[in-house]
Amino acid sequence: RDLVRSRGLGDVYKRQDAEGKDLRPDAIINIPGGRKLVVDVKNVFNTYKEANEAETEEQRSVLLAKHARELRSHVQALSAKRYQDHVDGSAEFVVMFVPGEHVLYAALTQSDDLLDYALRHNVVLSSPLNFMSIAMTVATVWRQAGVQADAEEIATLGKELYDRLGVVARRVRSRVRSARNHAHARTGG
């Protein structure tokens, strides 16, 4: 959340659906064009921590495999929430943020197809490093959209200025012609 807020990219968002299901993503990042990127944080440290504290390599392996299954379950549950059906303008996928490179890496090394499984379920697994890349990309898109909007506004203002100068020029020309005609009429010339 702090990363999202520090970039000015999104708001913390809470919502309950009519059936009382918990549909509260941790953040929604606004993207130009009225689009939104839903982010849900999953703290999956418990089994990972137990694995690191295991006394034998066999216990560690069993616990790391459990950790990968738990992460897969989180992907499945997050996919089932279908935020894209409840958040107007949201992308067809949800970013599942795992706040620890090592925690996500451990699960990915235990389950060869976890990443593909998540993608098939419209969930993008994100660690702090690649989430920073997502945030920076969105910030760049916002800057470019701002530059484009500024350019469009400058073009609009330039056209308006041109049109107004044309009106002024026609009025000046009319006044000069009128003054010239008036002068010729007075002098008989």
Side-chain angles (χ1 to χ4, degrees), residues 4-176:
V4 171
R5 285 183 188 145
S6 73
R7 295 283 178 191
L9 298 177
D11 303 318
V12 174
Y13 183 83
K14 291 188 175 191
R15 175 184 175 146
Q16 294 282 340
D17 74 357
E19 300 165 2
K21 278 187 171 178
D22 189 14
L23 283 176
R24 291 180 289 168
D26 293 296
I28 295 177
I29 299 175
N30 297 308
I31 300 174
R35 304 295 294 170
K36 294 176 177 24
L37 185 60
V38 175
V39 179
D40 207 85
V41 178
K42 296 297 178 199
N43 290 311
V44 289
F45 288 109
N46 293 338
T47 304
Y48 176 78
K49 182 180 178 232
E50 288 175 29
N52 284 324
E53 295 171 350
E55 294 181 13
T56 68
E57 195 54 42
E58 183 181 334
Q59 287 175 327
R60 177 176 160 71
S61 293
V62 167
L63 288 167
L64 285 175
K66 180 181 176 188
H67 168 64
R69 286 191 306 275
E70 288 173 351
L71 202 63
R72 181 182 294 263
S73 293
H74 283 297
V75 166
Q76 188 174 18
L78 187 55
S79 176
K81 288 184 179 185
R82 302 234 4 112
Y83 284 125
Q84 61 268 38
D85 295 340
H86 302 284
V87 177
D88 290 337
S90 72
E92 287 298 313
F93 59 89
V94 175
V95 175
M96 183 173 130
F97 180 71
V98 179
E101 302 292 329
H102 52 291
V103 177
L104 180 57
Y105 178 76
L108 291 171
T109 58
Q110 292 297 309
S111 177
D112 293 338
D113 72 331
L114 180 58
L115 187 60
D116 289 332
Y117 177 82
L119 292 173
R120 282 193 312 272
H121 285 83
N122 296 322
V123 175
V124 174
L125 298 175
S126 176
S127 64
L129 282 177
N130 63 13
F131 188 78
M132 179 65 81
S133 297
I134 292 169
M136 291 174 71
T137 300
V138 171
T140 299
V141 169
W142 270 113
R143 276 193 304 278
Q144 290 173 345
V147 167
Q148 181 178 350
D150 289 347
E152 289 170 4
E153 184 176 354
I154 289 168
T156 300
L157 291 173
K159 182 184 180 321
E160 187 178 322
L161 179 61
Y162 179 82
D163 292 345
R164 287 183 182 189
L165 286 173
V167 169
V168 169
R170 284 190 296 277
R171 286 184 181 164
V172 167
R173 194 172 332 151
S174 174
R175 302 249 188 226
V176 167

